[in-house]
């Protein structure tokens, strides 16, 4: 079971869902949310990685937009209104503040050993940036904003997962990952955007299981 803890940044406080494994952690993981917030699905993702032996923090990035410390963490519905609100919020948070929060979470986790990140949707692009700019080994799931950053030189390894049926990430965008970052593994699955989200219509259990297996092998290699 997890619980909320507070992270301090120079942009303000943000909560993070913390889940610790049984026994000594093999490392730390920052789980980076989709546009819908640190909702029950994202908390279950954090718990899944903790069950694999990692100390996990899933920061609530939208906390950086609120002045009310007593307001509950934002959780948006999986519908058109939720998508619209989520896109507005991630644009308002922006890249710089997001990476500051990732760094704060990673610093908190460093006591447990090496730290990496895994992100989904918008979080997939922040995970890529965590590898490029913060030097954290990262796994990026269907990050639709990745292409604009692919000319940056990575400071750490990164793995990519995409769905072949994802209209938000066309084949040429996936090809750009392989062209510009040829040393990084890029996998494509017969699935849509959000195929790892087990509460949505796009969930593909076979693709999700294979991607998770590859992700765990990546972290075993780079974190321990």
């Amino acid at each position: 079971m997890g619980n909320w803890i507070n992270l301090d940044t120079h942009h303000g406080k943000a909560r993070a869902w913390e889940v610790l494994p049984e026994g000594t952690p093999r490392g730390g993981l920052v789980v980076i949310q989709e546009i819908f917030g640190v909702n029950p699905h994202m908390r279950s993702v954090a718990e899944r990685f903790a069950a694999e032996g990692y100390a996990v923090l899933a920061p609530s990035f939208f906390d950086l937009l609120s002045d009310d410390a007593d307001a509950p963490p934002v959780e948006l519905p999986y519908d058109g209104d939720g998508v619209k609100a989520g896109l507005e919020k991630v644009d308002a948070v922006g890249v710089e503040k997001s990476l500051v929060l990732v760094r704060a979470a990673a610093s908190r986790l460093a006591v447990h050993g090496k730290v990496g990140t895994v992100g989904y949707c918008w979080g997939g692009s922040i995970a890529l940036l965590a590898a490029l700019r913060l030097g954290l080994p990262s796994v990026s799931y269907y990050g639709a904003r990745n292409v604009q950053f692919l000319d940056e030189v990575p400071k750490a390894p990164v793995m990519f997962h995409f769905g072949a049926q994802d209209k938000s990430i066309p084949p040429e965008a996936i090809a750009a990952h392989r062209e510009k970052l040829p040393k990084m593994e890029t996998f494509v699955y017969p699935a849509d955007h959000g195929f790892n989200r087990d509460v949505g219509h796009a969930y593909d259990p076979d693709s999700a299981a294979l991607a998770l297996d590859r992700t765990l092998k990546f972290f075993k290699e780079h974190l321990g």
Side-chain angles (χ1 to χ4, degrees):
M1 295 294 294
N3 61 277
W4 291 105
I5 60 102
N6 289 318
L7 296 173
D8 291 316
T9 79
H10 59 265
H11 295 296
K13 291 182 181 292
R15 285 159 291 193
W17 187 250
E18 180 184 55
V19 195
L20 300 177
E22 294 184 7
T24 302
R26 61 171 63 195
L29 274 181
V30 182
V31 171
I32 306 175
Q33 65 174 68
E34 300 174 308
I35 64 172
F36 304 102
V38 184
N39 56 17
H41 167 64
M42 292 311 304
R43 297 197 294 271
S44 74
V45 169
E47 288 157 9
R48 186 182 310 149
F49 282 111
E52 296 292 338
Y54 295 96
V56 182
L57 286 176
S60 179
F61 288 82
F62 297 158
D63 280 6
L64 297 177
L65 302 176
S66 175
D67 294 326
D68 184 358
D70 295 324
V74 174
E75 297 181 15
L76 299 173
Y78 296 119
D79 58 18
D81 290 340
V83 170
K84 182 177 183 294
L87 291 173
E88 290 174 352
K89 288 181 180 297
V90 296
D91 287 341
V93 173
V95 166
E96 192 270 335
K97 288 182 180 179
S98 297
L99 290 180
V100 166
L101 185 51
V102 171
R103 188 190 295 275
S107 296
R108 178 75 171 253
L109 290 167
V111 66
H112 301 296
K114 295 180 181 178
V115 179
T117 85
V118 57
Y120 304 83
C121 180
W122 168 80
S125 294
I126 300 301
L128 166 61
L129 287 168
L132 295 175
R133 301 180 185 179
L134 302 183
L136 300 174
S138 298
V139 176
S140 170
Y141 278 75
Y142 31 83
R145 306 184 184 207
N146 289 3
V147 171
Q148 62 188 305
F149 305 117
L150 295 180
D151 288 321
E152 297 187 28
V153 178
K155 294 182 178 180
V158 58
M159 173 183 284
F160 300 102
H161 300 302
F162 295 107
Q165 300 165 19
D166 186 345
K167 292 181 175 58
S168 69
I169 306 175
E172 55 269 27
I174 297 173
H177 288 70
R178 290 175 168 151
E179 175 188 351
K180 294 179 178 292
L181 295 175
K183 295 182 179 180
M184 308 303 175
E185 292 182 297
T186 298
F187 297 104
V188 181
Y189 304 83
D192 202 345
H193 189 87
F195 66 80
N196 185 73
R197 190 193 310 136
D198 57 9
V199 294
H201 71 280
Y203 179 52
D204 186 309
D206 292 338
S207 297
L210 180 55
L212 178 60
D213 182 64
R214 289 167 168 164
T215 295
L216 291 173
K217 288 179 180 176
F218 175 91
F219 287 131
K220 182 177 181 180
E221 177 183 356
H222 296 292
L223 302 183

